Structures are given as C-alpha cells and as structure tokens.
Amino acid sequence: MKLKGTMTEQSYREELIASKSHLFNEISMCRFLNIIRETFPAVKTAYVLSWTPEQGEDIISFLVDTHSVIKIELDRYDKTLVPIVDVYPIENWMKGLSKTFQIKIAVAFDLAMNDLI
C-alpha cells in the first residue's frame, strides 16, 4: 500500500511513534518487551498495532522489525501464568483486514523500515 500523507496516516504515525517509545522506555511494558526479545533476539524495533484490554489480561499485537506480527496475551494480575504468544508473517496478518487497519500497518511498516536503515 502506498502512503499518501493523509491526516489519518499522520495520526497513526504519531500514535505508533508514541507506542514504540512506551514499549522501549516504560517499566509497565517490560514484560511485553521481554517476550518480544525472547521470541526475536535480534529485534531492532517494534510498534503496537492493537491493544485489547480484557477483564484480566491484555492482548497486544506488535509489528516486529518489518517481517512479523507477534500477538501476546498476558495476564494482568498473575505474573506466573505463561503468556500466550502467536507469531505471524506480516503477509499473513494483512489478509482480510479493514482498509483503515491496513493503513495503520503500512505506516508502522514505513516507520520500521526507517528505523532499520
């Protein structure tokens, strides 16, 4: 998908940049970052694509570098429970997504590409 510089893209860009900063700099995100690093030891960058807070857990999807999406389901209260981790190639993750979400992923991919230069 080709980016056009729309307001929607700019809004996503700001949100995604903040999500990366939060992931790599906030103590509250260290469990997620540790799981990403365990799964992808050579990770250079990651962006939050979606965050679904459930009653007792958080389900967050991240674009990792430019190749994969990792979906992590993590219990919010019981740190002894093993997280549920699913990894998808970016191409598989894109199938069937709404146009709006495809734009968000395209912006995240663009940011990740720039991070890896």
Side-chain angles (χ1 to χ4, degrees):
M1 171 177 289
K2 186 174 176 180
L3 297 176
K4 301 174 185 173
T6 65
M7 294 290 286
T8 300
E9 290 172 15
Q10 185 58 34
S11 175
Y12 282 142
R13 188 171 299 275
E14 291 169 8
E15 175 187 326
L16 289 161
I17 290 169
S19 79
K20 176 187 170 196
S21 176
H22 189 67
L23 174 64
F24 284 94
N25 298 308
E26 297 293 325
I27 292 172
S28 63
M29 295 298 288
C30 70
R31 289 176 67 202
F32 290 103
L33 185 56
N34 289 339
I35 292 167
I36 293 169
R37 286 183 170 151
E38 287 171 11
T39 308
F40 300 102
V43 65
K44 301 248 187 305
T45 191
Y47 292 91
V48 175
L49 297 176
S50 65
W51 188 324
T52 308
E54 296 287 333
Q55 281 187 333
E57 65 269 352
D58 289 310
I59 303 168
I60 305 182
S61 299
F62 302 88
L63 173 66
V64 177
D65 294 335
T66 57
H67 54 75
S68 299
V69 173
I70 184 170
K71 183 172 115 181
I72 303 170
E73 185 174 335
L74 194 60
D75 192 279
R76 203 175 296 137
Y77 306 107
D78 188 350
K79 295 181 185 347
T80 63
L81 287 177
V82 177
I84 299 169
V85 179
D86 297 310
V87 177
Y88 307 90
I90 187 70
E91 300 81 20
N92 292 3
W93 185 262
M94 297 280 293
K95 293 179 182 171
L97 296 177
S98 70
K99 180 79 167 175
T100 306
F101 201 67
Q102 287 181 26
I103 293 169
K104 184 174 188 177
I105 292 175
V107 172
F109 188 84
D110 183 60
L111 288 168
M113 289 290 292
N114 289 327
D115 289 346
L116 297 176
I117 292 176

